[in-house]
Amino acid sequence: MNLNHTHELSRRSWLASANEVGTDFPLQNLPLSVFRRRNSAEPWRGGVAIGDQIVDLAALAQTNCSRGEAAKAIEAAAAPKLNGLLDLGPNAWRALRHSLFALLEVGCTDEATVRATLVAQGEAEYTVPLNIGDYTDFYTSLDHALNCSRPLGTTVGANFDWLPIAYHGRVSSIDVSGQQVYRPMGQYVSNGASVPVFGACQRLDYELEIGAIIGTGNSRGTPIPLAEAQEHIFGLCLLNDWSARDVQAWEMQPLGPFLSKNFATTVSPWIVTTEALLPYREAWSRVAARPQPLAYLCSPFNRAWGAFDINLEVSILGAQQLAKGLQPRSLTRTSFRHQYWTLGQMIAHHTIGGCNLQSGDLIGSGTISGPSEGEAGALIELTEGGAKPVDIGHGETRRFLEDGDTVIFRGWCEREGYARIGFGTNYGTVLPSPVCD
Amino acid sequence: MNLNHTHELSRRSWLASANEVGTDFPLQNLPLSVFRRRNSAEPWRGGVAIGDQIVDLAALAQTNCSRGEAAKAIEAAAAPKLNGLLDLGPNAWRALRHSLFALLEVGCTDEATVRATLVAQGEAEYTVPLNIGDYTDFYTSLDHALNCSRPLGTTVGANFDWLPIAYHGRVSSIDVSGQQVYRPMGQYVSNGASVPVFGACQRLDYELEIGAIIGTGNSRGTPIPLAEAQEHIFGLCLLNDWSARDVQAWEMQPLGPFLSKNFATTVSPWIVTTEALLPYREAWSRVAARPQPLAYLCSPFNRAWGAFDINLEVSILGAQQLAKGLQPRSLTRTSFRHQYWTLGQMIAHHTIGGCNLQSGDLIGSGTISGPSEGEAGALIELTEGGAKPVDIGHGETRRFLEDGDTVIFRGWCEREGYARIGFGTNYGTVLPSPVCD
């Protein structure tokens, strides 16, 4: 996959809102979702974001604006889930992008036809855009690992340097941005106690992550080499791996997190394609002070192998702040480029033992935390295990999440000579526990 | 759910093989699978085992032998997956059993019509009978936990007494009995080394488990109370949770097993329904020396709440032994009744934090090991961590699995005054690693 005309900064859309400074969705982005008009009985169908509008792919499929592979891709993407599009493979995804780019660019002779398919984003609601077969969550930020170890007086495990650590997550409780998250009930142990109590989670947290959608899978027993791993990713989204820290601490030995994670996971509605993200890659490197990876995880130190530099921001709005229409204060600003392992390395490792990935699988990057203060992707890090309350703005502080809190993630890419492209917003709101003890 | 005429020992089928001593599939069992004739292009469809035959539910759906709810259930079960049947709910599952019982009993006037739908089990091949949404694997045998801790000089964690420990497993690599399992490649650390090596797993193992199929789920945030948990289980099967012990030891801190488990999981083709298993329940109890569970996991000490007494047997046949047609020697004989936590407690715990189960989910019981010698459900236990080779019969021993080994599980229930019912066989064969290092 190479840079091409769809990445050129000079290209403009005939839709004015796509050319505005600061939009997440210029002509160079073209992310996909599944949407319908809010509070309608319309069928769910695929859509492509452009400025403040959505190209309705079901409507576009009824026109004659595209031909050949692009027309097939648009038809597949007009379905209530995008799995059919994924199954068509990388050439079809590319044809879809390039066809929409042409249709939305200044000077397109089909402008009127395409304009008739637009739905305002402000009128839309979204759903999880895929039938997800399996969800794997990684743990690939060294800064996150260090931040979590420090308050416990422990060290990061010896295996962190050698493999991208991961566990399997829960698919059934994945929902799209806007998810209402019940505060989980569970068992936990108070400081010094030897017997657990049962009650509502007291240390509810979020985890800032990037989600990767597997576009093409592999057969059982046939690993994906690192050199090909990138081509298996359809695109990325923002992901919140909600976490109950007190439940987690008590349950996770020896088999890892379970109830502390499986009550909810929130994904953003828009999937930004791998092709759109190409200009924002960093060179791969590994500092000499750390071990170099084993051969199957090792790659040249250049931009074809590195991380995506995705800027990320977290904020929290309390229930009263939200009701008053206050603007959120930024709690965290970091970038996905800080992860110790790349998405390619995660995929190469995931399959090296013979495990098969399938089109539509979701991969979580693990919490994204950068090396500096204010770059931590979870409250447990920002508050040093709940010891130091953090200022969320407008006179409120938090150690952990309170009922009514809305957690908001934003992500975008910028690079000199290229357009700014964004992921939109991923938000979710904490509801009180529905169960009494 | 109560004992009824379908559990009576005196009832006989018009099919002679169903009445033979030692059959797994008498009239009182009636387990379900999805099957077709081997090496055919026939569609997959549901089937019910009786003696050495299968009632072809797609063929039965074309007759007028059943009415009302039973006819609807048979039609749903004639599909290539049984999810449609599960979605019909417990009354439909019960109607299906009772209708088939009547059709297969001595004296049925439709005998000739039903006989025409039979396919010999010897001519059939099977597939995973459900689209599985999520797969959860528990860790609920205290003897297994003790056996695994002893060679490491560690103790069982304090949380074992308080909650059924679990992790999320991999759905994509679940296959049916007969699965060919590639020996996984991976990272592991040799004794005393501080740096991992990459190569083929040297400590490949099986885990003897029972799989439970969730029949009806729950909504996110609405836990299933223990008193209702049993009703959410459609039925049980045999499950092999293949494990790469060297990979596991290196990777599992802090988030649990990943590549050491996700390369393969094997389920038996036949699902024995919860109704068929009713006579074989034990009384629930918890010895006074251990803590009593928290309220949401606590139940009366009687048979309505206890474990199923399912006899289990493991054997291994080496490649040469298999080629010579030798009979396997029993390595392990134990029972599912020894588990520390019941399936009902697993379900109540799984959902207490708000996690939603869905119809078609698979729950693994965790390795089943009993308290006595020869009751351990994995080689790592039988061989004390690989220290003491175990006799697999015919002059061969094993520390861990070798290429070409076939691992065979059998399961059955017996109780005085009731029929013997069985699960059939769950087997899988180890293939050499397909990848070179």
Side-chain angles (χ1 to χ4, degrees), chain B residues 182-265:
Chain B
Y182 295 105
R183 177 180 298 274
M185 305 293 289
Q187 296 188 20
Y188 44 87
V189 177
S190 302
N191 273 344
S194 63
V195 164
V197 296
F198 176 75
C201 167
Q202 302 295 303
R203 293 163 70 89
L204 185 59
D205 203 354
Y206 57 82
E207 290 191 344
L208 171 66
E209 301 195 16
I210 288 289
I213 310 297
I214 298 298
T216 52
N218 63 302
S219 304
R220 205 163 49 80
T222 307
I224 298 173
L226 178 55
E228 295 168 20
Q230 178 74 33
E231 305 289 325
H232 287 259
I233 302 174
F234 175 72
L236 307 185
C237 63
L238 305 174
L239 185 150
N240 185 346
D241 175 29
W242 303 85
S243 297
R245 301 298 181 191
D246 38 11
V247 175
Q248 187 176 355
W250 172 238
E251 76 173 359
M252 79 185 287
Q253 283 302 328
L255 299 182
F258 181 54
L259 298 191
S260 54
K261 300 278 193 175
N262 70 9
F263 57 97
T265 302

Side-chain angles (χ1 to χ4, degrees), chain A residues 134 159 162 168 170-172 179-180 184-185 187 220-221 250 252-254 259 262 296 349 353 355-356 361 434, chain B residues 134 159 162 168 170-172 180 184-185 187 220-221 250 252-254 259 262 296 349 353 355-356 361 434:
Chain A
D134 278 292
N159 57 3
W162 294 98
H168 293 291
R170 180 83 194 172
V171 172
S172 70
Q179 186 171 23
Q180 308 277 296
M185 304 293 289
Q187 295 187 23
R220 206 163 49 81
W250 172 238
M252 80 184 290
Q253 283 303 330
L259 298 192
N262 70 9
Y296 76 97
H349 181 68
C355 181
N356 55 326
D361 284 348
Chain B
D134 279 292
N159 57 3
W162 294 99
H168 293 292
R170 180 84 192 171
V171 172
S172 70
Q180 308 277 296
M185 305 293 289
Q187 296 188 20
R220 205 163 49 80
W250 172 238
M252 79 185 287
Q253 283 302 328
L259 298 191
N262 70 9
Y296 76 97
H349 181 67
C355 180
N356 54 326
D361 284 348

Side-chain angles (χ1 to χ4, degrees), chain A residues 132-139 157-160 162-175 179-187 194-198 220-223 248 250-259 262-264 294 296-297 346 349-358 361 363 434-435, chain B residues 132-139 157-160 162-175 179-187 194-198 220-223 248 250-259 262-264 294 296-297 346 349-358 361 363 434-435:
Chain A
I132 298 168
D134 278 292
Y135 160 43
T136 302
D137 197 22
F138 279 84
Y139 174 75
N159 57 3
F160 189 94
W162 294 98
L163 52 82
I165 294 167
Y167 67 100
H168 293 291
R170 180 83 194 172
V171 172
S172 70
S173 54
I174 298 172
D175 207 344
Q179 186 171 23
Q180 308 277 296
V181 177
Y182 295 103
R183 176 180 299 275
M185 304 293 289
Q187 295 187 23
S194 61
V195 165
V197 295
F198 175 76
R220 206 163 49 81
T222 307
Q248 186 176 357
W250 172 238
E251 76 172 0
M252 80 184 290
Q253 283 303 330
L255 299 181
F258 182 54
L259 298 192
N262 70 9
F263 57 96
L294 293 169
Y296 76 97
L297 295 174
M346 295 181 215
H349 181 68
H350 201 317
T351 59
I352 194 66
C355 181
N356 55 326
L357 297 180
Q358 296 181 309
D361 284 348
I363 306 279
V435 188
Chain B
I132 299 168
D134 279 292
Y135 160 43
T136 302
D137 198 21
F138 278 84
Y139 175 75
N159 57 3
F160 190 94
W162 294 99
L163 51 83
I165 293 167
Y167 67 101
H168 293 292
R170 180 84 192 171
V171 172
S172 70
S173 55
I174 299 172
D175 206 345
Q179 186 171 24
Q180 308 277 296
V181 176
Y182 295 105
R183 177 180 298 274
M185 305 293 289
Q187 296 188 20
S194 63
V195 164
V197 296
F198 176 75
R220 205 163 49 80
T222 307
Q248 187 176 355
W250 172 238
E251 76 173 359
M252 79 185 287
Q253 283 302 328
L255 299 182
F258 181 54
L259 298 191
N262 70 9
F263 57 97
L294 292 170
Y296 76 97
L297 295 174
M346 295 181 214
H349 181 67
H350 200 318
T351 58
I352 193 67
C355 180
N356 54 326
L357 297 179
Q358 295 181 310
D361 284 348
I363 306 280
V435 188

Side-chain angles (χ1 to χ4, degrees), chain A residues 122-410:
Chain A
E123 292 173 20
E125 63 178 350
Y126 303 93
T127 185
V128 177
L130 294 149
N131 286 320
I132 298 168
D134 278 292
Y135 160 43
T136 302
D137 197 22
F138 279 84
Y139 174 75
T140 61
S141 163
L142 180 58
D143 296 300
H144 169 66
L146 289 166
N147 291 343
C148 291
S149 302
R150 218 173 285 122
L152 302 172
T154 59
T155 56
V156 177
N159 57 3
F160 189 94
D161 271 322
W162 294 98
L163 52 82
I165 294 167
Y167 67 100
H168 293 291
R170 180 83 194 172
V171 172
S172 70
S173 54
I174 298 172
D175 207 344
V176 78
S177 180
Q179 186 171 23
Q180 308 277 296
V181 177
Y182 295 103
R183 176 180 299 275
M185 304 293 289
Q187 295 187 23
Y188 45 86
V189 176
S190 301
N191 275 344
S194 61
V195 165
V197 295
F198 175 76
C201 168
Q202 303 295 305
R203 293 163 70 90
L204 185 60
D205 203 353
Y206 57 83
E207 290 192 344
L208 171 66
E209 302 196 18
I210 288 288
I213 309 296
I214 298 298
T216 53
N218 63 302
S219 304
R220 206 163 49 81
T222 307
I224 298 173
L226 179 55
E228 296 168 18
Q230 178 73 35
E231 305 290 325
H232 287 259
I233 302 174
F234 175 73
L236 308 185
C237 64
L238 305 175
L239 185 149
N240 185 346
D241 176 27
W242 301 86
S243 298
R245 301 298 182 192
D246 38 10
V247 175
Q248 186 176 357
W250 172 238
E251 76 172 0
M252 80 184 290
Q253 283 303 330
L255 299 181
F258 182 54
L259 298 192
S260 53
K261 300 278 193 174
N262 70 9
F263 57 96
T265 302
T266 310
V267 292
S268 59
W270 295 107
I271 305 172
V272 178
T273 64
T274 305
E275 188 171 1
L277 290 163
L278 279 184
Y280 314 98
R281 279 193 104 160
E282 298 278 313
W284 159 252
S285 69
R286 167 80 16 114
V287 294
R290 317 282 318 190
Q292 297 304 302
L294 293 169
Y296 76 97
L297 295 174
C298 210
S299 64
F301 285 3
N302 66 41
R303 274 187 66 189
W305 301 84
F308 295 107
D309 182 17
I310 301 170
N311 299 292
L312 296 162
E313 187 177 61
V314 180
S315 50
I316 299 172
L317 267 182
Q320 295 304 317
Q321 297 174 343
L322 191 69
K324 288 180 194 160
L326 298 177
Q327 286 302 303
R329 172 185 177 278
S330 172
L331 269 185
T332 290
R333 274 288 302 274
T334 188
S335 166
F336 187 44
R337 73 186 163 87
H338 296 304
Q339 297 303 93
Y340 195 78
W341 298 101
T342 65
L343 285 168
Q345 289 168 322
M346 295 181 215
I347 287 170
H349 181 68
H350 201 317
T351 59
I352 194 66
C355 181
N356 55 326
L357 297 180
Q358 296 181 309
S359 165
D361 284 348
L362 175 65
I363 306 279
S365 64
T367 307
I368 299 166
S369 295
S372 309
E373 199 173 331
E375 285 198 85
L379 280 176
I380 196 168
E381 301 174 61
L382 290 171
T383 67
E384 299 180 16
K388 297 187 181 174
V390 67
D391 178 10
I392 66 165
H394 312 293
E396 292 197 39
T397 63
R398 291 289 182 278
R399 293 173 196 267
F400 288 99
L401 294 171
E402 297 184 1
D403 290 348
D405 281 354
T406 296
V407 179
I408 305 158
F409 295 172
R410 294 181 198 278

Side-chain angles (χ1 to χ4, degrees), chain B residues 15 17 25 48-55 115 118-121 270:
Chain B
L15 185 72
S17 64
F25 306 121
V48 169
I50 182 76
D52 59 5
Q53 303 289 313
I54 303 168
V55 181
R115 194 180 281 275
L118 297 181
V119 174
Q121 285 166 27
W270 295 107

